[in-house]
Amino acid sequence: MKHVRNFHRTLIGKIFLSFLGVLIALYLLLFTPFGNRLMIPLIKKSLSSALDTPIAVQEFALTRERFHLIFQDHLGNTVSSQGGISLLTLRMYAHYRIEGLQYGGFNPISNPFKTEGSLSGGIASFSVHGNGTILDGNIIYKLELHRFSLATLDIELNKIAYAPLMELLHYPSNTDTVISGNISLNGFDRRDVGGKIDLTAHTKRFLPTPITEDSNESVTFKSLLADSNGQVKPFHVDVALNLSLDHAGILEQFVGVPLGGRVNAKATIKGDQKHLRLNAASDVARSDTTLLIEIPNLEPSSIVFDLKHANAEETFELFALPSPIKGNLSAYADLNTTEGKLQISVIEGSTIPSVLKQHYQITQPFMRFNAEVNADLSSKEVHYRGIFKSDLGRMEIDNTTTHDQMIHDLLKTIPSGSPHR
């Protein structure tokens, strides 16, 4: 009994009683209404800092097994969550709901959105499942986090409006395009990203908008992937992309030139920080088209483009141009940073005089023709060689003809040539 009475004076007794006092204090601070009220200012400050906007905590309650939290920004955008928590296993489960009804505050989207779902897990693995209405469409999503770092991402998109999405990216767009599809990617936490992206864009109305000029700051793969110190951490990627567009014009802000026509394409990007390779195939303009881009050290070094048996009118349409010819068009390009080769041929071609006159200011009678032009490109100049045969004339180009001279000879020969039938 004496030892028990003197226990509080021993070193072990002092440590035990201090620890017990801390537990009681934490219990009173964390799990009682009084303690909850004391924590609200701290939660308010943390949320305001994290979301970079003033936050008001509407409700907060925490017990040993349950929690409940509702907060709003100054515009009334609201987040609510409630569920269970285990401090012994550091695991939780909860239901959440987010309503962004006004643009501003923590809502960066001009269109109202709502999303709700559930989350569960602990530090090692955490899952988020949800659905929502956003950008006039619907989404279903699933996220997996490992130690609170994104590991896997699965999203199903249904009729997401493209124009407000472009507005988020600060690009103008005047279209009723909606996007549907699936995005399934994994391995973010291991920096070994794999998966598949399937997207379909349906368009009934598209009006071209002025191409936005980007800033002079160069954007490269390296600048996108580098950390704050300019270093690129090792990674590996193997992602497949399937894309179907009713109107290619929706991409013109990204490529910097007007586009049009329907495009279906499949592509893969594979490799690591030392060497990436992009392979793509398409039936654009009813052709058999392939594209290969080599990207060593995150710097594109070569492009091989092969367009076979394309419809000439649909090919011009792809670049939002009225086609002055009909026929079967093929093109091949093999380019690198210092030189390249380009070959273009038209088989069973014929001109469209009305288009030549109206859009290209060339007066020329109807004719049938075959043509082939080869270009050798270097960093200093371009040399052409080729042949043009028609029922109005014939022209051959030798390998010293410059670009300007080739165009001059072509336009000079076609209208004035004598018929050869």
Side-chain angles (χ1 to χ4, degrees):
M1 293 296 295
K2 180 179 179 181
H3 292 291
V4 173
R5 288 194 302 268
N6 294 329
F7 177 74
H8 66 283
R9 294 176 179 157
T10 65
L11 179 60
I12 296 177
K14 292 178 180 179
I15 294 175
F16 175 77
L17 292 175
S18 297
F19 179 68
L20 183 60
V22 170
L23 288 179
I24 294 173
L26 285 174
Y27 181 87
L28 293 174
L29 180 62
L30 294 175
F31 305 126
T32 64
F34 172 75
N36 291 169
R37 288 193 295 271
L38 292 179
M39 292 178 64
I40 286 178
L42 178 61
I43 295 172
K44 177 181 176 181
K45 182 177 180 181
S46 299
L47 290 172
S48 299
S49 176
L51 299 175
D52 196 26
T53 190
I55 293 296
V57 176
Q58 305 295 316
E59 296 181 24
F60 173 70
L62 176 66
T63 68
R64 289 178 299 171
E65 298 178 346
R66 303 285 299 176
F67 74 91
H68 178 58
L69 173 65
I70 300 177
F71 65 84
Q72 291 183 332
D73 63 19
H74 63 290
L75 297 174
N77 299 314
T78 305
V79 175
S80 63
S81 180
Q82 58 182 345
I85 186 170
S86 171
L87 294 179
L88 292 178
T89 60
L90 296 179
R91 296 184 64 84
M92 68 176 295
Y93 63 91
H95 178 270
Y96 64 89
R97 182 178 179 86
I98 303 173
E99 295 183 342
L101 303 180
Q102 298 292 330
Y103 174 66
F106 64 74
N107 177 16
I109 304 173
S110 56
N111 292 39
F113 78 92
K114 293 181 181 180
T115 182
E116 63 179 334
S118 62
L119 48 89
S120 62
I123 295 176
S125 180
F126 204 84
S127 330
V128 181
H129 298 252
N131 62 80
T133 58
I134 187 171
L135 300 177
D136 301 327
N138 301 304
I139 62 170
I140 299 174
Y141 55 88
K142 176 184 177 182
L143 311 178
E144 192 79 25
L145 292 85
H146 295 166
R147 298 193 176 278
F148 301 110
S149 294
L150 180 64
T152 65
L153 169 68
D154 290 281
I155 303 178
E156 180 181 336
L157 308 173
N158 184 29
K159 297 183 179 179
I160 301 298
Y162 185 76
L165 177 62
M166 291 291 284
E167 185 180 335
L168 282 176
L169 301 175
H170 305 292
Y171 283 118
S173 183
N174 188 348
T175 179
D176 65 355
T177 299
V178 293
I179 299 175
S180 299
N182 295 276
I183 300 172
S184 182
L185 301 173
N186 58 71
F188 290 99
D189 56 325
R190 305 187 307 271
R191 298 186 67 81
D192 184 8
V193 180
K196 191 175 183 180
I197 301 174
D198 294 293
L199 296 175
T200 300
H202 294 294
T203 303
K204 294 181 180 179
R205 177 185 57 81
F206 174 83
L207 294 176
T209 53
I211 303 295
T212 299
E213 293 187 9
D214 291 326
S215 66
N216 293 327
E217 298 178 3
S218 59
V219 178
T220 63
F221 282 108
K222 187 170 292 186
S223 66
L224 290 173
L225 297 173
D227 59 20
S228 57
N229 297 319
Q231 300 297 316
V232 177
K233 297 179 180 179
F235 69 89
H236 185 270
V237 64
D238 185 355
V239 174
L241 171 66
N242 292 333
L243 190 65
S244 178
L245 308 179
D246 284 347
H247 200 299
I250 64 173
L251 300 179
E252 62 185 17
Q253 294 291 347
F254 298 106
V255 300
V257 296
L259 296 173
R262 183 177 180 85
V263 173
N264 295 309
K266 294 183 177 182
T268 60
I269 183 165
K270 298 181 180 181
D272 54 26
Q273 74 282 359
K274 296 179 181 178
H275 197 121
L276 289 173
R277 174 174 292 171
L278 173 66
N279 266 298
S282 175
D283 62 357
V284 61
R286 289 186 271 175
S287 70
D288 179 9
T289 299
T290 59
L291 174 68
L292 172 63
I293 303 178
E294 301 285 355
I295 313 171
N297 299 315
L298 303 180
E299 295 286 348
S301 66
S302 67
I303 298 175
V304 178
F305 174 77
D306 193 3
L307 175 78
K308 296 178 181 178
H309 313 302
N311 179 280
E313 290 179 282
E314 293 184 22
T315 302
F316 274 81
E317 183 184 1
L318 178 64
F319 296 98
L321 294 171
S323 177
I325 64 172
K326 296 180 180 180
N328 187 306
L329 187 149
S330 296
Y332 178 83
D334 188 350
L335 311 172
N336 57 42
T337 55
T338 59
E339 60 184 8
K341 295 182 181 297
L342 175 65
Q343 181 183 65
I344 300 175
S345 65
V346 179
I347 300 174
E348 298 180 351
S350 62
T351 59
I352 306 176
S354 60
V355 176
L356 280 167
K357 184 175 182 179
Q358 180 179 354
H359 296 281
Y360 299 92
Q361 291 74 54
I362 297 174
T363 302
Q364 185 262 325
F366 171 82
M367 70 176 181
R368 299 179 179 87
F369 68 92
N370 292 317
E372 181 176 315
V373 176
N374 294 274
D376 293 321
L377 298 81
S378 69
S379 58
K380 295 182 179 180
E381 55 190 357
V382 181
H383 289 298
Y384 294 90
R385 64 185 185 279
I387 189 168
F388 181 93
K389 299 178 182 179
S390 77
D391 49 11
L392 292 183
R394 173 187 174 93
M395 181 184 73
E396 291 188 9
I397 306 171
D398 64 30
N399 61 6
T400 61
T401 303
T402 64
H403 174 76
D404 291 340
Q405 188 63 42
M406 184 271 291
I407 296 296
H408 177 270
D409 291 345
L410 179 62
L411 297 178
K412 177 182 177 182
T413 302
I414 291 175
S416 60
S418 59
H420 294 275
R421 297 183 185 275

